[in-house]
Amino acid sequence: MRLIVLDSYSMLSHWAAAYIVKRINEFKPTAERPFVIGLPSGNTPLGTYRHLIQYYEKGKVSFKNVVVFVTDEYFVLPESHPESHHSLLNDHLFRFIDIPKENINILNGNASDPERECAEYECKIKDYGGIDIFIGGVGTDGHFAANEPGSSLTSRTRVKCFTSDSIIENSKFFGNDINKVPKCALTMGVSTIMDSREIIILANGRQKARALHHAIEGPISQLWPISVIQLHKRVIVVCDDIAVSDLKVGTVKYFKDIEKNNPNPDILL
């Protein structure tokens, strides 16, 4: 595991975007051999998306041969709703870059047969040879994608219902009215995410500190799904200083020492 601790949300967003661009360019994707990315919705990745757009506008990267699988989508929320993940990803990323529409994959939260929709999504990821790099956030309770506490660590893409805490947290996007918040989502499973060749977790703010403690220092547990990343062979946690507030001082110093001679990926672009 790598832990990248930066001074601000802006810096972690810039670092993550630069790293993603670096990985795409190293891969040299083609139409026959695309680079496959898992992307989240939510507030945390928005800064990274802004920087990705800037890199594209500067001619530093093309997304023509990139295939995207969005991690989750609300169950029974119209795609046109401003808080649907279809809308959010389009409004904050897709419409600003050169990714072909057919390369964008998002679960259909209004599918008549949601179980079949999830199974087909899982198969499509496998048909592309798996996800090259998965980008994810983490909830205050340790969920990632919509894998809530208690999720099986061997779970695959499926329908998952939210905890009350998540519904309350999500209500900020729905006028603080919990009655307007969807109660479930279609989501990649924990095992689906862990099959990715590389994982990047983004975390900022004091509210994520407890989750990061469990992700990095705690035991692996389904009650803190994010803790499973300890088992992945190539994972990077990118966060700001406040988000590591619950980690031991020695842990933070250890990871900072490891990273002090690693170049910022932006330098390599």
Side-chain angles (χ1 to χ4, degrees):
M1 179 186 293
R2 293 178 65 187
L3 175 64
I4 311 296
V5 183
L6 299 166
D7 291 340
S8 67
Y9 172 73
S10 177
M11 291 178 69
L12 81 84
S13 298
H14 191 178
W15 194 100
Y19 187 82
I20 294 165
V21 170
K22 175 177 173 287
R23 295 290 289 114
I24 292 172
N25 291 337
E26 287 174 344
F27 191 87
K28 296 180 173 60
T30 64
E32 295 74 26
R33 182 174 170 268
F35 189 77
V36 184
I37 303 180
L39 288 181
S41 60
N43 279 336
T44 302
L46 295 185
T48 298
Y49 295 160
R50 287 192 290 270
H51 283 290
L52 286 175
I53 293 166
Q54 291 171 7
Y55 279 122
Y56 164 70
E57 292 174 341
K58 293 176 182 177
K60 297 285 188 179
V61 67
S62 171
F63 296 89
K64 285 184 179 178
N65 295 315
V66 170
V67 170
V68 165
F69 285 90
V70 176
T71 58
D72 55 302
E73 178 57 286
Y74 285 122
F75 183 48
V76 195
L77 187 71
E79 289 183 9
S80 59
H81 192 285
E83 294 303 328
S84 78
H85 298 174
H86 281 76
S87 294
L88 288 171
L89 268 295
N90 183 65
D91 291 346
H92 291 282
L93 181 62
F94 296 148
R95 68 189 183 96
F96 297 105
I97 59 177
D98 62 343
I99 187 169
K101 186 176 181 179
E102 60 270 21
N103 285 12
I104 299 171
N105 300 280
I106 309 180
L107 286 154
N108 179 6
N110 296 282
S112 58
D113 187 343
E115 290 187 1
R116 180 177 178 180
E117 171 70 11
C118 292
E120 291 179 350
Y121 203 68
E122 191 82 25
C123 288
K124 194 168 187 180
I125 292 173
K126 291 180 181 178
D127 288 344
Y128 273 103
I131 294 170
D132 291 301
I133 188 167
F134 173 88
I135 315 299
V138 57
T140 56
D141 59 1
H143 75 262
F144 65 140
N147 294 292
E148 298 281 74
S151 292
S152 168
L153 301 185
T154 62
S155 58
R156 311 301 302 193
T157 304
R158 70 211 187 285
V159 179
K160 184 67 179 176
C161 291
F162 296 121
T163 63
S164 295
D165 286 345
S166 289
I167 292 171
I168 292 170
E169 186 175 347
N170 289 340
S171 68
K172 63 187 176 185
F173 303 117
F174 293 86
N176 294 312
D177 186 346
I178 62 172
N179 295 312
K180 294 181 180 179
V181 181
K183 303 303 184 286
C184 301
L186 278 62
T187 182
M188 288 184 188
V190 175
S191 192
T192 309
I193 295 168
M194 289 291 286
D195 281 347
S196 304
R197 281 176 274 281
E198 187 169 9
I199 294 175
I200 295 180
I201 299 296
L202 309 175
N204 71 291
R206 181 66 183 83
Q207 70 277 13
K208 301 299 177 69
R210 189 178 180 212
L212 277 195
H213 159 67
H214 284 277
I216 297 168
E217 295 178 326
I220 296 167
S221 169
Q222 63 178 357
L223 295 179
W224 289 91
I226 191 65
S227 65
V228 76
I229 65 172
Q230 295 176 36
L231 296 176
H232 199 277
K233 63 182 179 181
R234 190 167 185 175
V235 59
I236 305 175
V237 177
V238 190
C239 59
D240 61 12
D241 264 326
I242 305 174
V244 297
S245 300
D246 283 8
L247 294 182
K248 295 175 182 176
V249 172
T251 299
V252 176
K253 286 184 176 180
Y254 171 79
F255 281 106
K256 283 187 174 182
D257 181 65
I258 290 175
E259 293 297 329
K260 66 183 180 182
N261 294 319
N262 281 331
N264 188 313
D266 188 55
I267 296 173
L268 305 178
L269 299 179

